[in-house]
Amino acid sequence: METDVYTIDEKNYLLVDKIYNYLYLSNEDDEEDTLILKEDINNSDNFLPLDNEEEFKNALSLFLTKEVEENK
């Protein structure tokens, strides 16, 4: 199984999941270092931070809901 790796701030992050345009990433050297970014709709090679806390909560809810559904 191939894992996508993204280098951000000189650290390698593994793609844990992608839901819609949200990328859920985990630092390959520190599992407690995680990121949620979103793909730029105009350029899928560009990643953007989430806009605000509401968007963060929405992205986190999508991830947790998917995890619960897959583990039933």
Side-chain angles (χ1 to χ4, degrees):
M1 180 177 176
E2 191 172 315
T3 302
D4 292 339
V5 178
Y6 299 88
T7 302
I8 301 167
D9 295 332
E10 299 180 16
K11 298 176 189 173
N12 288 334
Y13 287 85
L14 307 176
L15 181 66
V16 174
D17 204 346
K18 180 179 176 184
I19 304 171
Y20 303 120
N21 66 324
Y22 295 115
L23 302 171
Y24 301 86
L25 306 164
S26 178
N27 184 323
E28 71 178 349
D29 296 322
D30 180 1
E31 64 185 31
E32 293 183 16
D33 179 10
T34 60
L35 294 173
I36 302 174
L37 299 174
K38 61 183 174 182
E39 286 181 324
D40 184 337
I41 58 172
N42 298 313
N43 179 357
S44 63
D45 293 329
N46 189 34
F47 306 109
L48 305 170
L50 303 183
D51 291 332
N52 51 42
E53 188 172 334
E54 183 177 330
E55 185 176 29
F56 170 75
K57 288 178 181 178
N58 181 50
L60 190 56
S61 177
L62 289 170
F63 181 78
L64 293 174
T65 299
K66 183 177 178 183
E67 287 296 307
V68 167
E69 289 299 316
E70 288 179 353
N71 290 312
K72 279 188 173 180

